[in-house]
């Protein structure tokens, strides 16, 4: 299935997300969302929603929601 909301991270965004993941100082939800965005990045690993969901033990619908929120509202959302 073709992705409706394609995540393309800028280098600054990717760097910020990697910092969130590596420091582990944020809440678990924020860290999980950062990991998801890094894996679904079209200019990076470009994992499918199903593969990403399976890797992080979340539903594929949750991955889609994270992608949609990022595309529509940006990284702060």
């Amino acid at each position: 299935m073709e992705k409706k909301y394609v995540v393309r991270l800028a280098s600054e965004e990717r760097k910020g997300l990697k910092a969130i993941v590596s420091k582990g100082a944020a809440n678990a939800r924020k860290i999980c969302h950062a990991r998801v965005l890094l894996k679904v990045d079209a200019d990076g690993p470009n994992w499918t929603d199903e593969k990403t969901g399976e890797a992080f033990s979340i539903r594929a619908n949750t991955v889609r929601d994270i992608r949609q929120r990022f595309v529509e509202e940006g990284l702060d959302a």
Side-chain angles (χ1 to χ4, degrees):
M1 182 168 87
E2 189 173 329
K3 295 178 183 177
K4 182 175 179 180
Y5 298 98
V6 178
V7 173
R8 293 197 188 280
L9 296 172
S11 60
E12 300 83 32
E13 292 171 328
R14 193 175 299 112
K15 189 177 181 180
L17 291 171
K18 286 180 180 179
I20 289 171
V21 171
S22 67
K23 289 179 184 174
N27 66 41
R29 180 179 173 179
K30 187 172 186 176
I31 293 171
C32 180
H33 286 198
R35 286 182 174 148
V36 166
L37 288 172
L38 287 168
K39 293 300 181 187
V40 299
D41 181 15
D43 297 331
N46 198 21
W47 284 12
T48 64
D49 294 345
E50 291 75 18
K51 181 177 179 179
T52 306
E54 191 174 311
F56 298 116
S57 300
I58 58 177
R59 297 178 316 128
N61 287 345
T62 303
V63 176
R64 282 186 211 104
D65 292 344
I66 293 169
R67 279 192 300 102
Q68 180 179 355
R69 201 170 318 123
F70 173 79
V71 170
E72 291 179 346
E73 301 175 29
L75 192 56
D76 294 332

